[in-house]
Amino acid sequence: MLKSISARLPEELAHRLDDVARETDRPRSYIIQKALEYYLEEMADIQVALDRLYDKSDPAVSGKELRKALGI
């Protein structure tokens, strides 16, 4: 099910969106959806990495241990 939302964009960003939509022959909504999916996925990965970085109970692995585990 699709849900309609609205957003205000700076004029330059809206022009860039229009350019990409025209060049790829895709609707603006498709470009926005794909960009948002990518952004949210990347932000989730970044948050997991930050959580692990600041988790004192999560032990660090040395380069030597990593290579051994990977069989390198």
Side-chain angles (χ1 to χ4, degrees):
M1 178 175 187
L2 297 176
K3 180 162 178 102
S4 181
I5 63 168
S6 64
R8 295 186 185 276
L9 301 175
E11 191 171 333
E12 177 58 31
L13 186 56
H15 287 305
R16 289 172 57 196
L17 174 60
D18 288 338
D19 291 343
V20 170
R22 186 174 38 260
E23 290 169 7
T24 60
D25 197 28
R26 298 279 191 168
R28 289 182 296 184
S29 60
Y30 176 85
I31 306 299
I32 293 168
Q33 178 182 338
K34 292 302 175 187
L36 189 54
E37 287 171 357
Y38 176 78
Y39 175 82
L40 293 174
E41 187 173 305
E42 289 300 309
M43 289 306 298
D45 289 345
I46 289 169
Q47 190 59 56
V48 167
L50 288 172
D51 290 346
R52 291 198 64 199
L53 177 66
Y54 295 117
D55 182 359
K56 301 295 184 194
S57 67
D58 192 8
V61 177
S62 71
K64 185 177 182 179
E65 292 171 315
L66 179 61
R67 286 188 293 279
K68 183 178 179 183
L70 294 174
I72 299 175

